[in-house]
Amino acid sequence: MKTVQHNFKKIILILAVLVGINIAGHFIFKRFDLTADKRYTLSETSLQIVDEITEPVYIDVFLEGNFPGEFKKLQTETQQLLEEFKAENPNVIFQFVNPLDEEANRDETIQSFLERGLTPVNVTVNEKGQQTQEVVFPWAIATCGDKSIKVPLLKNMMGASTAEKVISSVQHLEYAFANAINSVSKEKQKRVAVIKGNGELHDILIADFVKSVRDNYYIGTFTLDSVAKNPNESLKYLKKYDLAVIAKPTEVFTDAEKQVLDQFVINGGKTLWLMDHVSMEMDSLMQTGENLAFPRDLNLNDMFFKYGIRIRPDLIKDLMNTPIALATGQQGSATQYSQFPWFFSPAVYSESANPIVSNLDVIKFEFANPIEPLKNDINKTVLLTSSKYSKLIGTPSEINLNMVEERPEQKEFAGGGNYPVAVLLEGKFHSAFENRVLAFNDNTFKPVGKDNKMIVISDGDVIKNQLDKNFQPLELGYDKWTNNLYANKEFLMNCVNYLLDDNGLINIRSKEVNLPMLDKEKVVENYTTAQIITVGLPLVVLLVFGLVFTFLRKRKYSK
């Protein structure tokens, strides 16, 4: 009887402990990240964004279906990251969906996804010795209320294997989802002005950039023509914006227009300059076959000099370049095109750890100019450079399409290279009109500004999108002639986000995640050994265990 009572007390005690643990677990919650790179530990910025969510944010992830191991890895990493978001705030609700689950509506579904800009990826699946082609949509959609935003899960990397793309993509999963949640859960606050009036790119040629910026910020056009009539009122109006984008001006700026832009900077306005200091257009070159490249004076040199840089009126010729497609013949009624290296279109790869450009794919430049950093108190960070196999071509200079036939030697480029083409400037800028006669009277004029930042890119075509046959804008960075997609859009959006980022969200991009890759050569080399270890060894262990167990059993019961 005492034994029964004692056991009963033990059961009651165990139940009480379990109930107590469950109650404590309801109030005290802790998740442990045991990975070496802390890939599942959310940054403080992500935690702040997620904690401020007051309405449900629904995330539909389209990584569901039959696909190879690399995409399974991306699926697993995405799911585990979203579980961290949900654990922090239950208002984050996610699900994995197979968009092609209904075979009858397969074509219609694919078409609807394409119309929304959700491009699929064709992958090969090996199953039981048979290869099949599957369509995968590496995308997610984040929705809060009536606001939605698409989230790319697979980064484009030219020439990279699927496994390498997945590793690069996992690096930026936290940033991609944190940025999406921030965009749909918060009202727009910052304002972006696209400067017009000095021969900048036409609206349709920057349409995809404007569309992308509009997801997170208010964006509108600001024309400098009004400066001639009422410069003070124009400056007052421009100060209402947080960022000014100057996209490839081709006409000279007046001193009054310069003063307006200068005082916008001095008063804390951020600027993204995309400048061409050499007059040379690819479209006209394609039509005529040859053209003269000559310096373009925009009357901005003194202003950039004061800020701490100089854009030289030279062209960069680079062995690391992007191709162009030229007509080479006729086949029936169709024109045949072939791709050739084009040395005046540098293929720029990022080697910087700066979050603006870290882990970016190749960026396409066209007739780029070198930026020369000057000595002053402004902190300068070179974001992008040409390759070490590049040199400068002085202007004026004749550019001819026959240059595609050139096969220069690397030794011709010795002693040069690595010319800056994108520079970040940060600090207290001094006005270009400091200790000078003002172009117009301004009672609010300041000679020195507060802490500020700007980005200067020495190629206006970086922001330019191509048009399809119906003259509709294509995705920024996509070259319809070579069918290549470059990282221009991601680079420019990172620039905008960095300049307007108050909570450090862009810094999440520099987070390093180490995913071990399977060495396929080593697998083939050690295939037999691996089979013996994984298949043969367990059978041997099981056989030995069975023999020992049988022997001990016979020995025990034979007595």
Side-chain angles (χ1 to χ4, degrees), residues 364-411:
K364 177 183 171 67
F365 278 69
E366 203 168 81
F367 299 115
N369 318 129
I371 301 176
E372 182 181 343
L374 305 174
K375 289 185 178 181
N376 65 358
D377 295 333
I378 298 298
N379 182 41
K380 305 167 192 70
T381 304
V382 175
L383 299 175
L384 297 172
T385 67
S386 62
S387 78
K388 62 181 180 180
Y389 302 113
S390 58
K391 66 179 181 180
L392 300 181
I393 304 297
T395 55
S397 181
E398 184 179 295
I399 306 298
N400 195 305
L401 284 179
N402 291 330
M403 290 178 171
V404 297
E405 299 175 355
E406 294 180 4
R407 294 296 178 265
E409 299 287 339
Q410 288 186 6
K411 61 183 179 182

Side-chain angles (χ1 to χ4, degrees), residues 459-478:
D459 176 22
D461 292 311
V462 168
I463 198 174
K464 180 179 176 182
N465 57 252
Q466 295 181 358
L467 306 177
D468 64 14
K469 60 182 180 181
N470 298 318
F471 298 99
Q472 295 301 306
L474 295 169
E475 184 175 0
L476 175 57
Y478 176 69

Side-chain angles (χ1 to χ4, degrees), residues 227-380:
V227 172
K229 296 180 179 179
N230 197 334
N232 288 289
E233 194 65 25
S234 297
L235 175 58
K236 180 180 177 182
Y237 190 80
L238 183 58
K239 286 179 181 177
K240 295 179 180 180
Y241 289 90
D242 301 287
L243 170 67
V245 178
I246 303 95
K248 195 180 178 179
T250 56
E251 299 173 7
V252 174
F253 286 77
T254 66
D255 285 345
E257 290 170 340
K258 284 168 55 179
Q259 185 175 327
V260 168
L261 291 175
D262 174 81
Q263 285 302 292
F264 173 74
V265 170
I266 298 303
N267 282 275
K270 312 299 187 296
T271 44
L272 176 59
W273 303 85
L274 296 108
M275 313 301 294
D276 273 5
H277 275 216
V278 172
S279 180
M280 187 67 217
E281 299 297 331
M282 196 68 202
D283 293 339
S284 60
L285 181 63
M286 284 293 192
Q287 293 175 3
T288 61
E290 61 180 10
N291 220 329
L292 182 68
F294 57 89
R296 174 182 283 148
D297 185 10
L298 299 171
N299 192 29
L300 295 176
N301 291 337
D302 58 337
M303 194 158 78
F304 285 131
F305 188 89
K306 194 74 174 182
Y307 296 159
I309 62 163
R310 183 166 76 99
I311 303 177
R312 296 172 58 179
D314 301 317
L315 291 177
I316 296 176
K317 189 174 184 179
D318 202 330
L319 283 182
M320 298 287 292
N321 54 73
T322 61
I324 59 172
L326 299 177
T328 55
Q330 198 88 4
Q331 185 174 359
S333 60
T335 304
Q336 293 294 107
Y337 289 89
S338 298
Q339 296 186 21
F340 299 91
W342 184 239
F343 303 109
F344 293 101
S345 184
V348 179
Y349 293 86
S350 166
E351 295 183 357
S352 171
N354 188 285
I356 298 174
V357 292
S358 66
N359 205 22
L360 277 184
D361 197 17
V362 61
I363 303 165
K364 177 183 171 67
F365 278 69
E366 203 168 81
F367 299 115
N369 318 129
I371 301 176
E372 182 181 343
L374 305 174
K375 289 185 178 181
N376 65 358
D377 295 333
I378 298 298
N379 182 41
K380 305 167 192 70

Side-chain angles (χ1 to χ4, degrees), residues 63-126:
L63 276 179
E64 187 68 40
N66 182 31
F67 37 72
E70 293 90 347
F71 282 92
K72 285 288 186 184
K73 184 66 175 175
L74 182 60
Q75 180 195 51
T76 301
E77 294 292 330
T78 302
Q79 181 174 349
Q80 290 174 337
L81 181 67
L82 289 175
E83 285 174 353
E84 293 299 319
F85 281 114
K86 184 176 177 62
E88 185 66 25
N89 189 332
N91 277 323
V92 177
I93 303 167
F94 68 92
Q95 64 174 346
F96 282 74
V97 180
N98 183 359
L100 303 178
D101 200 19
E102 296 182 12
E103 192 66 32
N105 302 325
R106 181 184 179 91
D107 293 339
E108 295 169 0
T109 302
I110 292 176
Q111 185 60 35
S112 66
F113 271 63
L114 287 172
E115 290 173 357
R116 297 168 67 185
L118 306 174
T119 52
V121 176
N122 291 314
V123 297
T124 302
V125 179
N126 292 307

